[in-house]
Amino acid sequence: KEDRYAHEVMLAVQTRTTMSDNTRMTFGKYQAHMHSVEELKSFFPERDDILWQSGKIADSCEFEFETGKLFFPQYEIPNKEINTERFFKQSTEEGFHQLVAAKKIPLDLLDTYKKRLDEEITMINNMGFATYFLIVSDLISWAKNNNISVGPGRGSVAGSLVSWALSITDIDPIKYNLLFERFLNPERVSMPDIDIDFCIHGRERVIQYVKDKYGHDKVGQIITFGTMMSKGVVKDVARALGIPFEEANMISGLISDELKITLEEAISQEPKLKNLIDTNPKIAELFDIAFRLEGLTRHASKHAAGIVISPEPIADVLPIYVPTKSTDMVTQYAMT
């Protein structure tokens, strides 16, 4: 209940108004705090049974997320007579032969390369990741064929000979003694991490290609949340309280630029801040509210390049957020 005023300030921050604006949006008489059992009982005198109905309803609801498996979109294979794993093997071997023909693989080490390739193909197929490699390879090939710059491969994927054969990377892992096991191994069953860098000037075209290929209802971007961190929350609250910009800037300037520093840490590091809070009631109010709002979500937006491709319409499997002035579907789950 004691957070009510801070909640009103946050509403003013989000609606870009000030607390002195009589036309601003407010909660009015609505009590938005988490009520105690005693408070709830007071709303329904002598009818406690009404309160417990919500518990009965909750107990009767049952929903389980299906976990422990991966949900890959359908990759369309040109030859309907072979399965995904066989097509993946064929595509990888064709890419490998092209590398040999281009004299990128030393002929005296051909057996070493072939043995490594077969081992990687077998492991990828056994772990169920063939579709993933085909999808990523297709994205990168399309980008390169449409003059969109793509990075040569970054992170542990550079240790994969299959990725080189499929043009996912441009790096010979054997030449540089890079380990495939760092990228993928059966002891640690998790999605192989392929870091792809698309040029910012072509990235939107790649995203559009994904939507066109897999279905606009099956492709969504990923939400990202802006949080109210120390410097930002002080500036936001100051603006809502009508504190002049110059004064707000001076106060936030006393907070260290150290990443993820908290208000408590900032005050302990800077005596001037503590002195301002102790001697100026207006600044004390500012920090009292800022402390309550620190770390809360300020706004939602979409991750620059995070994409979800679903085998079914995304709205059937994930909660969806649609940004203002946009028709893009964005997952309500953040990246992690």
Side-chain angles (χ1 to χ4, degrees):
K1 191 180 282 189
E2 63 272 15
D3 290 325
R4 180 182 175 85
Y5 188 69
H7 200 180
E8 290 277 4
V9 172
M10 187 168 181
L11 187 61
V13 168
Q14 292 175 328
T15 54
R16 297 184 180 277
T17 54
T18 62
M19 296 301 286
S20 59
D21 183 351
N22 293 327
T23 63
R24 68 181 172 85
M25 185 189 295
T26 72
F27 290 110
K29 292 180 180 178
Y30 179 63
Q31 297 290 319
H33 66 277
M34 188 68 77
H35 292 86
S36 67
V37 174
E38 287 66 33
E39 283 179 299
L40 290 169
K41 282 181 176 180
S42 72
F43 298 152
F44 304 99
E46 298 177 16
R47 287 300 311 273
D48 285 6
D49 58 305
I50 290 174
L51 298 183
W52 313 127
Q53 290 302 322
S54 57
K56 288 180 182 176
I57 293 166
D59 290 341
S60 68
C61 296
E62 192 175 331
F63 177 79
E64 293 290 333
F65 277 104
E66 188 177 358
T67 60
K69 63 176 279 189
L70 296 165
F71 299 85
F72 286 118
Q74 190 66 41
Y75 183 83
E76 201 168 310
I77 295 167
N79 184 352
K80 304 291 182 187
E81 295 176 12
I82 61 173
N83 63 19
T84 302
E85 288 73 21
R86 182 68 196 157
F87 180 73
F88 163 69
K89 188 174 189 292
Q90 281 184 7
S91 301
T92 305
E93 288 172 346
E94 282 172 20
F96 180 75
H97 293 316
Q98 288 170 12
L99 291 172
V100 173
K103 299 181 178 177
K104 291 184 177 181
I105 292 173
L107 292 179
D108 58 328
L109 292 174
L110 193 57
D111 288 345
T112 302
Y113 278 78
K114 188 72 178 74
K115 182 172 181 291
R116 165 85 167 256
L117 190 77
D118 290 342
E119 288 171 354
E120 288 192 20
I121 289 171
T122 301
M123 190 178 294
I124 289 165
N125 271 334
N126 288 344
M127 293 180 75
F129 292 133
T131 300
Y132 178 53
F133 279 81
L134 291 170
I135 290 168
V136 175
S137 175
D138 174 64
L139 283 184
I140 291 172
S141 296
W142 183 87
K144 288 177 176 176
N145 291 336
N146 286 273
N147 299 315
I148 296 167
S149 298
V150 185
R154 181 164 53 84
S156 60
V157 69
S160 168
L161 187 58
V162 161
S163 295
W164 189 32
L166 289 174
S167 296
I168 291 170
T169 60
D170 297 331
I171 298 154
D172 177 349
I174 293 178
K175 179 180 178 182
Y176 296 105
N177 197 28
L178 302 175
L179 300 175
F180 176 69
E181 289 73 18
R182 275 201 66 227
F183 170 58
L184 187 65
N185 72 72
E187 301 299 316
R188 182 177 57 88
V189 180
S190 59
M191 278 284 285
D193 186 19
I194 301 177
D195 293 308
I196 318 167
D197 296 301
F198 291 112
C199 175
I200 192 169
H201 298 297
R203 189 172 60 202
E204 285 300 323
R205 287 167 58 206
V206 177
I207 293 170
Q208 189 61 42
Y209 169 72
V210 176
K211 289 178 178 177
D212 293 342
K213 185 175 179 78
Y214 296 100
H216 287 241
D217 62 334
K218 295 177 182 174
V219 176
Q221 290 188 250
I222 299 173
I223 204 166
T224 181
F225 296 107
T227 51
M228 302 178 82
M229 303 309 284
S230 53
K231 272 181 181 280
V233 73
V234 165
K235 286 184 176 180
D236 279 336
V237 173
R239 194 183 309 118
L241 294 179
I243 293 172
F245 176 78
E246 295 76 14
E247 191 176 348
N249 246 12
M250 179 273 293
I251 297 164
S252 67
L254 294 172
I255 298 171
S256 167
D257 290 324
E258 181 187 329
L259 193 65
K260 294 186 178 177
I261 189 171
T262 65
L263 287 175
E264 194 172 340
E265 290 166 343
I267 293 165
S268 69
Q269 288 178 18
E270 179 52 76
K272 289 180 185 174
L273 262 182
K274 187 169 187 331
N275 184 54
L276 274 173
I277 294 166
D278 290 343
T279 59
N280 188 326
K282 185 170 60 174
I283 307 301
E285 180 190 30
L286 162 62
F287 273 86
D288 177 58
I289 296 166
F291 268 118
R292 295 174 189 272
L293 301 184
E294 185 180 18
L296 296 180
T297 297
R298 184 183 188 277
H299 63 273
S301 56
K302 63 181 179 182
H303 189 281
I307 297 290
V308 169
I309 312 173
S310 170
E312 301 169 41
I314 283 198
D316 291 350
V317 292
L318 290 171
I320 297 301
Y321 165 70
V322 180
T324 311
K325 298 177 184 175
S326 171
T327 56
D328 287 341
M329 286 197 297
V330 180
T331 69
Q332 282 190 41
Y333 293 130
M335 178 176 70
T336 49

